[in-house]
Amino acid sequence: MNAAESRPMGKRVGTVREAAYIWMDGELVPWGEARVHVLTHALHYGTAVFEGTRVFATPDGPAVFRLEEHLARLARSARMIGLALPYTVDELRAATLETVAANGHAACYIRHLVHRGYGEMGIAARRCPAVVSVATWEWPPLLGTSGVRLMTSSWRRNDHRVVPVAAKATGPYLNSVLAKDEAMAAGYDEAVLLNAAGHVSECTGANLFVVRDGRLLTPPPGAGALDGITQDTLERLAAGLGVPAVRQDLMRTDLYAADEILLCGTGAGVVHVSSVDGRELGGPGPVTAKLADAYDAVTHGRDDRHRHWLTPVPASRPAA
């Protein structure tokens, strides 16, 4: 009997169904035993970096989409905030595949986390050990598939002169939490953040594209937007579809004048925006529909041109 066959059905907490195991510092531990101390440094000061990655069902079995790029960004993020990774990228790749296989997922979300652990308190506690974990769970697209009602947040996006916005670090995500809570309290689905100069940056957990006159426009990293892997994927797919993709500064009014707006990210997938600040855009436009179809084909292994983006997950095997 393998791990997938023997594990109990996980309980659902919110939109997350618990899996059997989480990988922590070199071993698989039962989900409920993956714990940290209350004085963990990252819990108090946000000294952690993370990645969100997805596994998709393909004709050849489950496969991780653009795993190499996600692990490379994790390593870059850790370096930016001065957090030494205790594992190589090869070791993290093996740990990722081991965790997905042990949990028996056909498709799932993966959360890689590197945090400064328990050992010393105080802001300058650089001697705290770096703790690495890999968790997987089944998670539907975070913004649904029927269209997103978007609002402009009153909060401004983090500035690169204040925190390294190029790092996917946990501390700066308070900015996104505040904006998301504000939007949902006002009856919207998601928030778009402007930077200090008034330019469009990104949404709380997704990059944003504007379609206008047949061109695909997206804010550059200099606007405070994360250099997204799904964003890069759509730009490459757009080139194959003959749609010019340009990174440029966008104003709030560019959202109101858009022919189409779409959001993208590992958690969100590709989803159209149905309205911005009460201004209706309607259903998904032709460019959004083409990109969503192309993304679905690539992630599910139906596009041979991009097979190199898929890392197959080995067959389930008993956990140690």
Side-chain angles (χ1 to χ4, degrees):
M1 181 179 293
N2 64 31
E5 293 169 337
S6 63
R7 70 182 175 93
M9 199 60 178
K11 68 179 180 181
R12 186 175 292 278
V13 180
T15 60
V16 175
R17 182 179 292 281
E18 294 181 2
Y21 303 105
I22 292 176
W23 187 94
M24 290 192 74
D25 277 344
E27 62 179 337
L28 291 170
V29 300
W31 180 284
E33 296 177 18
R35 301 168 183 165
V36 297
H37 196 279
V38 70
L39 294 184
T40 292
H41 193 272
L43 180 62
H44 294 256
Y45 302 110
T47 48
V49 296
F50 71 100
E51 276 296 317
T53 314
R54 274 199 187 269
V55 172
F56 293 90
T58 78
D60 299 319
V64 189
F65 185 64
R66 301 195 72 172
L67 177 59
E68 302 301 324
E69 290 87 345
H70 280 285
L71 292 179
R73 189 171 65 182
L74 182 73
R76 288 197 303 272
S77 294
R79 187 166 65 248
M80 287 180 200
I81 72 165
L83 189 56
L85 269 177
Y87 297 93
T88 67
V89 169
D90 286 344
E91 289 171 329
L92 292 175
R93 182 190 307 108
T96 303
L97 299 177
E98 179 185 14
T99 308
V100 177
N103 285 327
H105 296 297
C108 67
Y109 177 88
I110 305 170
R111 173 57 56 90
H112 298 91
L113 178 70
V114 184
H115 73 271
R116 191 164 283 167
Y118 170 67
E120 184 179 9
M121 289 301 290
I123 292 175
R126 296 180 65 89
R127 291 191 295 273
C128 290
V131 179
V132 182
S133 59
V134 182
T136 67
W137 63 88
E138 296 171 9
W139 217 13
L142 299 186
L143 295 172
T145 57
S146 60
V148 176
R149 295 166 299 159
L150 192 64
M151 70 164 278
T152 304
S153 178
S154 66
W155 297 98
R156 290 295 180 258
R157 185 39 117 200
N158 296 317
D159 191 285
H160 67 90
R161 294 166 295 185
V162 178
V163 292
V165 295
K168 197 171 176 69
T170 61
Y173 260 78
L174 177 60
N175 183 226
S176 289
V177 171
L178 293 170
K180 182 76 170 186
D181 283 351
E182 177 188 45
M184 295 186 71
Y188 293 85
D189 302 312
E190 177 61 299
V192 59
L193 293 111
L194 310 180
N195 63 19
H199 295 138
V200 175
S201 180
E202 60 182 349
C203 293
T204 64
N207 289 104
L208 176 147
F209 283 96
V210 163
V211 180
R212 189 167 182 185
D213 299 328
R215 296 196 308 155
L216 197 62
L217 311 175
T218 190
L226 184 70
D227 198 2
I229 292 170
T230 309
Q231 176 190 39
D232 174 76
T233 299
L234 291 193
E235 289 172 322
R236 293 169 185 260
L237 294 176
L241 294 170
V243 178
V246 180
R247 295 194 181 192
Q248 67 175 55
D249 284 330
L250 298 172
M251 302 297 292
R252 182 175 179 174
T253 49
D254 289 319
L255 303 180
Y256 300 159
D259 299 323
E260 306 171 40
I261 300 174
L262 62 119
L263 308 182
C264 70
T266 296
V270 179
V271 61
H272 75 280
V273 172
S274 58
S275 67
V276 184
D277 295 335
R279 294 160 174 82
E280 296 296 326
L281 285 166
V287 174
T288 301
K290 287 179 182 178
L291 286 172
D293 287 345
Y295 180 75
D296 188 75
V298 166
T299 54
H300 289 88
R302 300 194 305 273
D303 185 342
D304 288 337
R305 295 170 299 176
H306 299 287
R307 282 263 179 188
H308 60 285
W309 281 342
L310 295 169
T311 300
V313 176
S316 300
R317 57 187 181 274

